[in-house]
């Protein structure tokens, strides 16, 4: 059997009205990817409504868009060539809908950036270019569209090419091609145009197949990063496996590997790689898991790990561990990003409250003007900020490991921004706005990763053993045979798990495993955000 | 290791299912008995290692082809599924349906599917839960509303679905605000919600019809025999209620033949839902239904 084709997501970006939807409509039509009768039915619809036919109408599935004539949200179109399957994502060009552009573009591995030959480079031509770079898309082809409106002038094409290539160079992107096209007339979309004899590069369709990669391949040679989504134990039907589940973001994992979970630094050995098949005797049992796989494994020792940690390989480059970092962010929120306000960060599966302690500068992506004095980042701004989190996080520097080096910022209930970590910071260099307020019990509990609790034990020997077990689970326990009320309050006030005799919140049973589990559960509540 | 196109689709969908399970306390999955939601069900069994840790909800319009219900209950027993169904009892009793001649197709869809679904999810109409000891459905005492609902829609099915988010919030009235959807990037979804809202979760958005069939063939997913030509030269390409779904002319009687027919044969360029009559009744009817909660 022939090898399956890979697929690639392509985003089409650019300024409003520069012809993105028309490019896609024309591409689908000329590549023969439309359902039978689709083109005819839209021509018919246009005739009935006395409107001139446009290829963009093919994409305007929603009534509102047909009425307003602009793309509001990203739409996906599917087609394939001899080489690959493509999902073409139509990104809106209106500044109002930047969050939708980002939603579409973040799924893509390559981009077509459309610029109107007559109008030239506009605000969102640059902003979208900048956003593509931040989202990690390095393969970009620029389409100089509506070339028929400037009499297919080579001079106009060269001028736009020169100016835009210069802009892309400042953000470190070397475009794959500049293609002069007319989406309405069909020049250089699927067929080379005889009317632009001065252009001998690929057509748009040809360029798609020239892009490299597909299906987010790659990353298996990088250090292992599996952010833990959950630890499953489904007892139904006598299943007693405890499976650590998560997406393999980079690297490769095999049975027998020694893994370290960060930030807890707990370590264990992989007992088995787990994958379920309908056919129990499947010959497809995995020998390794690598980047891109939703995987799961069991451990040789039953250590306590939870969602938010990252499984890494002992001996490979470990992630950074800390509460503070510097990041380059884009802001989408209705209200501006301000220092001091509490937000929530989601980085892979970890989640923590955080504050911006300093905004170093704010960049207007349409002009590339940097403002070092800005007090806040407004909607659609790009900013360089220092973040301080309440909980310790494991993360990477975005330039080295993109998927574990980025995060989103939640304001109230909404994802309001995204950031790429540029530098890990120590406790000393987190900026000037450190809070002077007293440390709250909640902050302390989140920092220590435990809620203080008192535990009663029967004997000193058992108390000492329990103390050791909890300590090895990463907790801070303290056994004391006799404590006054003041001493007990001081210890719990300091966030410690107090093991003693007499009345307590948790009473032990003498079954070590059951007691440890009960105590861990009682101290865990603090970790919910 | 080089993963295939199907491997990558599978992993992304499993990731979405696991994220949903972590994010929602009251989670359920809609199972229409069709091929897409059955693939989704098998992806859930893969994500949770043979278990399905949330209930499956089916909206019974009572106009489904009988074989579909039989198949639903057989798999529910075999796979030990927590199976729930709901219905619009009042509309059925008062015969306010299209087959009874008392509603247009779109009105009928709204009553028997959209309204039944909305109220079954909210828990203000009765839910019927499969008792595995007796094999019978019993009215469920649990009326907690579901806050996360996993649905097997695909972006390539028809226009309005191509713009769906993976995690798509619905407000208190169940409405979909297609013009102001939350941003979604880097595998991070909107999982924080104001009380009273609920979320539709769409793990299959990036799958095409051909992907679904190739996955069914690769994994051995059982599908209803109505999808295959039984010798009369007809098969169903998309399943719905019998009064509004027509079989297509096709000789395809095996998975290989179905895939061949879709890839390069007679259906390579014909829309999948061309046998669904409700799609044709009104220019923007489906989008209207989707805003109101239709799948």
């Amino acid at each position: 059997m022939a090898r399956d084709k890979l697929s690639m997501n392509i985003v089409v970006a650019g300024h409003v009205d520069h012809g993105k939807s028309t490019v896609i409509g024309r591409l689908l039509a000329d590549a023969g990817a439309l359902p039978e009768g689709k083109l005819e039915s839209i021509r018919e619809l246009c005739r009935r409504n006395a409107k001139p036919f446009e290829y963009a109408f093919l994409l305007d599935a929603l009534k509102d868009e047909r009425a307003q004539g602009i793309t509001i949200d990203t739409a996906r179109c599917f087609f394939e060539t001899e080489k690959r399957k493509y999902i073409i994502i139509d990104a809106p060009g209106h500044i109002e809908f930047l969050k939708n552009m980002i939603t579409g573009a973040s799924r893509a591995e390559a981009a077509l950036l459309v610029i109107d030959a007559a109008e030239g480079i506009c605000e969102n031509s640059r902003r979208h270019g900048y956003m593509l770079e931040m989202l990690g898309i390095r393969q970009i082809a620029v389409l100089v569209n509506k070339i028929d409106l400037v009499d297919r002038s080579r001079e106009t094409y060269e001028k736009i090419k020169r100016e835009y290539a210069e802009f892309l160079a400042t953000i470190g992107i070397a475009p794959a091609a500049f293609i002069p096209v007319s989406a309405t007339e069909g020049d250089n979309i699927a067929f080379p145009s005889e009317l632009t004899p001065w252009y001998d590069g690929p057509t748009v369709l040809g360029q798609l197949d020239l892009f490299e990669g597909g299906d987010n391949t790659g990353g298996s040679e990088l250090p292992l990063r599996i952010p833990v989504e959950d630890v499953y134990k489904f007892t139904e039907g006598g299943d007693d496996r405890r499976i650590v589940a998560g997406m393999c973001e980079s690297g490769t994992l095999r049975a027998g590997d020694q893994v370290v979970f960060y930030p807890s630094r707990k370590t264990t050995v992989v007992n088995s790689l787990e994958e379920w098949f309908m056919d129990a005797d499947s010959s497809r049992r995995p020998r390794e898991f690598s980047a891109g796989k939703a995987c799961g494994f069991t451990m040789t020792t039953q250590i306590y790990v939870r969602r938010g940690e990252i499984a890494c390989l002992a001996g490979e480059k470990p992630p950074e561990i800390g509460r503070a970092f510097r990041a380059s962010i884009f802001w989408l929120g209705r209200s501006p990003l301000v220092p001091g306000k509490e937000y929530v960060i989601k980085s892979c599966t970890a989640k923590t409250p955080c504050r911006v302690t300093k905004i170093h500068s704010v960049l207007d992506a349409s002009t590339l003007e940097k403002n070092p004095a800005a007090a806040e980042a407004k909607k659609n701004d790009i900013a360089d900020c220092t973040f301080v989190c309440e909980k310790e996080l494991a993360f990477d520097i975005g330039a080295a490991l993109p998927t574990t080096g980025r995060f989103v910022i939640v304001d109230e209930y909404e994802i309001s921004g995204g950031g790429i970590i540029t530098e890990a910071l120590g406790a000393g260099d987190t900026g000037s706005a450190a809070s002077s307020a007293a440390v709250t019990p909640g902050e302390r509990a989140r920092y220590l990763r435990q809620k203080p609790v008192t535990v009663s034990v029967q004997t000193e020997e058992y108390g000492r053993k329990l103390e050791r077990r909890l300590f090895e689970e990463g907790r801070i326990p303290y056994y004391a045979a006799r404590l006054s009320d003041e001493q007990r309050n001081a210890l719990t006030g300091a966030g410690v798990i107090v093991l003693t005799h007499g009345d307590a919140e948790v009473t032990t049973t003498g079954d070590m495993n059951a007691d440890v589990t009960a105590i861990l559960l009682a101290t865990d509540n603090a970790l919910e955000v | 290791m080089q993963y295939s196109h199907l491997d990558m689709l599978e992993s992304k969908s499993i990731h979405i299912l696991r994220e949903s399970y972590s994010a929602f306390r009251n989670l359920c999955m809609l199972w229409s008995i069709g091929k897409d939601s059955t693939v989704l069900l098998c992806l859930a069994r893969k994500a949770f290692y043979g278990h399905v840790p949330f209930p499956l909800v089916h909206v019974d319009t009572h106009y489904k082809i009988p074989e579909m219900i039989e198949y639903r209950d057989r798999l529910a027993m075999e796979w030990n599924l927590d199976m729930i169904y709901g219905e619009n009892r009042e509309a059925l009793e008062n015969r306010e349906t299209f087959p009874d001649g008392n509603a247009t197709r779109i009105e009928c869809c709204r009553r028997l599917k959209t309204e039944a679904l909305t109220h079954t999810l909210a828990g203000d109409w009765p839910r019927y839960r499969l008792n595995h000891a007796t094999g019978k459905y019993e009215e469920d005492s649990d009326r907690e509303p579901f806050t996360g609902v996993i649905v097997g829609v695909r972006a390539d099915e028809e226009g309005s679905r191509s713009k769906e988010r993976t995690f798509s919030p619905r407000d208190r009235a169940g409405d979909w605000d297609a013009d102001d959807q939350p941003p979604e990037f880097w595998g991070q979804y909107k999982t924080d919600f104001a009380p009273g809202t609920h979320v539709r979760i769409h793990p299959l958005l990036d799958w095409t019809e051909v992907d679904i069939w190739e996955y069914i063939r690769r994994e051995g997913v059982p599908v209803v025999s109505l999808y295959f030509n039984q010798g009369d030269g007809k098969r169903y390409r998309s399943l719905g209620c019998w009064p509004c779904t027509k079989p297509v002319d096709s000789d395809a009687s095996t998975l290989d033949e179905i895939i061949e027919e879709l890839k390069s044969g007679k259906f390579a360029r014909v829309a999948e839902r061309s046998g669904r009559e409700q799609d044709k009744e009104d220019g923007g009817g489906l989008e209207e239904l989707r805003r109101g909660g239709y799948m």
Side-chain angles (χ1 to χ4, degrees):
Chain A
M1 198 174 84
R3 182 147 188 83
D4 285 348
K5 272 186 220 177
L6 288 179
S7 86
M8 183 180 262
N9 291 0
I10 308 279
V11 64
V12 182
H15 197 73
V16 63
D17 283 340
H18 283 198
K20 295 174 294 295
S21 302
T22 312
V23 164
I24 300 176
R26 185 76 195 211
L27 185 65
L28 295 177
D30 285 4
L34 293 175
E36 259 165 43
K38 184 84 178 174
L39 207 54
E40 292 69 31
S41 78
I42 291 183
R43 281 190 199 280
E44 174 58 31
L45 192 72
C46 290
R47 199 168 52 237
R48 264 188 286 148
N49 295 322
K51 278 175 98 175
F53 168 81
E54 286 180 31
Y55 281 96
F57 293 157
L58 286 168
L59 300 179
D60 294 343
L62 295 181
K63 279 181 174 175
D64 296 352
E65 293 192 7
R66 219 172 297 153
Q68 291 189 19
I70 57 168
T71 304
I72 290 171
D73 206 339
T74 51
R76 302 171 180 78
C77 307
F78 298 75
F79 86 105
E80 58 183 284
T81 64
E82 285 298 309
K83 183 173 177 184
R84 281 199 200 99
K85 303 178 186 221
Y86 289 100
I87 298 181
I88 307 284
I89 301 160
D90 184 19
H94 199 285
I95 182 69
E96 191 58 32
F97 306 114
L98 187 70
K99 66 175 178 160
N100 296 338
M101 179 270 172
I102 286 168
T103 299
S106 71
R107 282 194 289 258
E109 293 141 289
L112 301 176
L113 207 139
V114 182
I115 298 176
D116 184 324
E119 212 179 330
I121 298 163
C122 289
E123 188 186 341
N124 276 340
S125 315
R126 274 184 293 259
R127 194 192 304 273
H128 282 187
Y130 204 97
M131 289 314 308
L132 292 172
E133 194 280 331
M134 279 195 91
L135 291 166
I137 298 159
R138 296 291 186 279
Q139 304 191 76
I140 297 178
V142 182
L143 313 189
V144 181
N145 189 28
K146 306 189 192 179
I147 197 77
D148 55 313
L149 295 187
V150 294
D151 299 324
R152 298 184 173 82
S153 149
R154 178 172 193 173
E155 205 179 316
T156 308
Y157 161 83
E158 294 289 352
K159 180 169 174 283
I160 290 173
K161 178 176 173 179
R162 200 167 46 244
E163 280 177 25
Y164 200 70
E166 206 171 285
F167 159 73
L168 287 178
T170 62
I171 55 174
I173 288 182
F178 279 86
I179 310 175
V181 303
S182 166
T184 47
E185 301 299 316
D187 297 45
N188 298 320
I189 298 287
F191 310 106
S193 171
E194 288 171 8
L195 302 173
T196 54
W198 43 268
Y199 174 75
D200 60 1
T203 61
V204 176
L205 191 60
Q207 180 57 46
L208 292 182
D209 281 348
L210 288 173
F211 285 130
E212 287 169 12
D215 275 318
N216 303 312
T217 43
S220 48
E221 69 295 342
L222 297 170
L224 181 78
R225 298 289 185 263
I226 302 178
V228 177
E229 284 187 293
D230 235 319
V231 180
Y232 297 131
K233 189 164 182 350
F234 300 106
T235 45
E236 178 193 290
D239 189 348
D240 61 356
R241 291 170 301 174
R242 211 164 144 255
I243 303 171
V244 180
M247 187 71 152
C248 184
E249 298 288 358
S250 57
T252 302
L253 183 76
R254 296 182 185 85
D257 280 345
Q258 190 182 358
V259 294
V260 186
F261 292 92
Y262 291 98
S264 75
R265 296 182 177 83
K266 289 181 194 176
T267 164
T268 187
V269 170
V270 175
N271 180 50
S272 60
L273 301 184
E274 293 292 332
E275 185 163 2
W276 184 86
F277 295 96
M278 190 99 67
D279 161 19
D281 302 318
S282 177
S283 55
R284 295 193 286 146
R285 300 239 151 266
R287 283 192 300 275
E288 61 178 40
F289 286 136
S290 60
K293 180 80 176 171
C295 60
F297 59 91
T298 62
M299 305 175 287
T300 52
T301 45
Q302 295 314 310
I303 56 169
Y304 183 81
V305 290
R306 53 181 297 140
R307 182 177 167 88
E309 300 211 55
I310 303 182
C312 305
L313 275 193
E316 285 188 345
K317 185 185 178 336
E320 307 282 345
I321 311 282
R323 294 171 57 230
F325 52 78
R326 192 158 164 170
S328 180
I329 66 117
F330 52 88
W331 189 248
L332 306 169
R334 283 200 188 92
S335 38
L337 174 84
V338 291
K341 183 179 172 189
E342 182 168 305
Y343 299 99
V344 168
I345 273 182
K346 294 206 285 182
S347 168
C348 291
T349 59
K351 196 174 174 187
T352 167
C354 73
R355 282 172 218 279
V356 170
T357 55
K358 187 168 172 54
I359 294 179
H360 302 275
S361 65
V362 169
L363 181 89
D364 181 334
S366 62
T367 59
L368 290 187
E369 229 161 78
K370 220 177 212 183
N371 178 2
E376 58 181 33
K378 294 191 193 63
K379 188 175 176 180
N380 304 330
D381 277 345
I382 287 163
D384 172 15
C385 310
T386 292
F387 284 84
V388 176
C389 305
E390 278 198 27
K391 288 201 290 186
E392 208 171 44
L393 272 184
F395 58 85
D396 286 288
I397 303 303
L401 280 177
T403 53
T404 41
R406 60 199 185 191
F407 58 90
V408 299
I409 309 159
V410 180
D411 186 13
E412 301 294 331
Y413 298 107
E414 307 297 330
I415 291 181
S416 300
I420 291 146
I421 300 174
T422 52
E423 188 185 356
L425 300 175
D429 40 18
T430 53
S432 54
S435 169
S436 58
V439 179
T440 66
E443 281 178 302
R444 194 187 315 278
R446 284 193 284 251
Y447 182 71
L448 296 174
R449 300 179 65 77
Q450 67 180 28
K451 192 175 84 170
V453 67
T454 54
V455 179
S456 114
V457 294
Q458 295 298 321
T459 64
E460 176 171 349
E461 188 197 353
Y462 192 70
R464 296 278 183 212
K465 270 193 192 154
L466 196 54
E467 185 185 36
R468 167 56 62 187
R469 271 290 300 274
L470 290 169
F471 184 72
E472 279 170 2
E473 290 285 350
R475 303 308 161 109
I476 304 163
Y478 183 74
Y479 170 79
R482 272 177 302 279
L483 288 173
S484 68
D485 284 353
E486 288 77 27
Q487 287 169 327
R488 194 201 264 230
N489 289 344
L491 282 169
T492 50
V496 170
I497 300 171
V498 179
L499 310 177
T500 186
H501 307 286
D503 278 353
E505 291 159 87
V506 178
T507 308
T508 53
T509 62
D511 173 345
M512 181 63 79
N513 286 334
D515 287 343
V516 169
T517 306
I519 295 165
L520 292 181
L521 281 176
T523 69
D524 263 358
N525 303 341
L527 305 182
E528 306 292 336
V529 174
Chain B
M1 173 137 188
Q2 171 74 67
Y3 292 113
S4 71
H5 174 62
L6 282 183
D7 291 333
M8 297 307 285
L9 285 174
E10 176 188 71
S11 274
K12 281 181 198 162
S13 300
I14 288 176
H15 171 70
I16 294 162
L17 287 168
R18 289 176 175 171
E19 288 298 295
S20 322
Y21 183 57
S22 292
F24 295 95
R25 282 190 203 290
N26 263 315
L27 185 66
C28 71
M29 181 187 277
L30 295 191
W31 187 22
S32 74
I33 327 297
K35 62 187 190 316
D36 299 330
S37 56
T38 305
V39 161
L40 191 55
L41 170 58
C42 289
L43 285 165
R45 297 180 84 207
K46 251 193 183 284
F48 306 108
Y49 299 95
H51 309 271
V52 182
F54 35 73
L56 292 161
V57 173
H58 180 228
V59 172
D60 195 347
T61 61
H62 294 261
Y63 287 103
K64 297 289 175 191
I65 303 166
E67 193 190 327
M68 295 168 69
I69 302 297
E70 212 172 279
Y71 162 92
R72 174 191 78 188
D73 293 341
R74 182 168 55 76
L75 287 190
M77 291 298 283
E78 241 172 62
W79 292 352
N80 199 22
L81 306 174
D82 184 4
M83 188 72 222
I84 289 173
Y85 81 83
E87 63 191 8
N88 188 341
R89 203 184 329 184
E90 204 183 289
L92 288 165
E93 275 170 9
N94 299 336
R95 308 172 71 82
E96 293 162 341
T97 72
F98 170 72
D100 286 316
N102 298 326
T104 65
R105 291 181 202 274
I106 293 274
E107 281 164 2
C108 186
C109 270
R110 186 168 56 235
R111 286 178 194 150
L112 296 191
K113 292 188 192 168
T114 311
E115 285 179 18
L117 176 69
T118 309
H119 292 286
T120 303
L121 293 178
D124 52 2
W125 285 4
R127 294 171 179 163
Y128 303 90
R129 194 173 214 131
L130 181 63
N131 178 337
H132 281 262
T134 61
K136 300 259 181 295
Y137 285 85
E138 293 164 4
E139 191 168 327
D140 194 9
S141 55
D142 179 8
R143 293 287 194 92
E144 273 291 298
F146 290 110
T147 49
V149 183
I150 306 170
V151 188
V153 302
R154 304 189 332 264
D156 76 331
E157 283 178 89
E158 41 88 20
S160 70
R161 293 183 180 185
S162 76
K163 308 204 167 189
E164 274 285 11
R165 290 289 192 269
T166 305
F167 281 55
S168 177
R170 300 296 203 263
D171 66 15
R172 277 166 200 279
D175 285 347
W176 178 42
D177 188 353
D179 302 342
D180 187 21
Q181 304 196 69
E184 237 173 35
F185 50 95
W186 297 340
Q188 295 287 359
Y189 306 105
K190 179 176 163 67
T191 51
D192 303 274
F193 294 95
T197 49
H198 80 273
V199 190
R200 297 279 163 85
I201 301 150
H202 303 127
L204 294 184
L205 274 190
D206 285 347
W207 295 58
T208 63
E209 188 185 7
V210 173
D211 293 331
I212 292 285
W213 282 111
E214 290 187 332
Y215 192 76
I216 288 170
R217 177 171 65 183
R218 187 178 93 170
E219 299 295 314
V221 176
V223 288
V224 206
S225 63
L226 296 164
Y227 283 114
F228 302 94
N229 164 35
Q230 307 287 340
D232 57 354
K234 287 187 185 306
R235 71 177 192 88
Y236 285 89
R237 194 171 162 195
S238 168
L239 288 180
C241 299
W242 59 259
C244 293
T245 313
K246 285 195 216 135
V248 292
D249 290 324
S250 162
D251 294 327
S253 54
T254 65
L255 288 171
D256 287 344
E257 285 167 12
I258 286 179
I259 291 165
E260 180 55 33
E261 192 177 65
L262 291 174
K263 280 179 120 166
S264 46
K266 57 187 287 193
F267 291 141
R269 294 179 62 190
V270 178
E272 177 183 9
R273 291 175 63 98
S274 55
R276 296 286 196 105
E277 296 296 327
Q278 68 267 39
D279 292 24
K280 296 173 188 162
E281 205 163 69
D282 157 342
L286 276 180
E287 189 201 334
E288 295 297 324
L289 278 176
R290 285 185 72 66
R291 283 180 195 270
Y294 181 75
M295 293 302 149

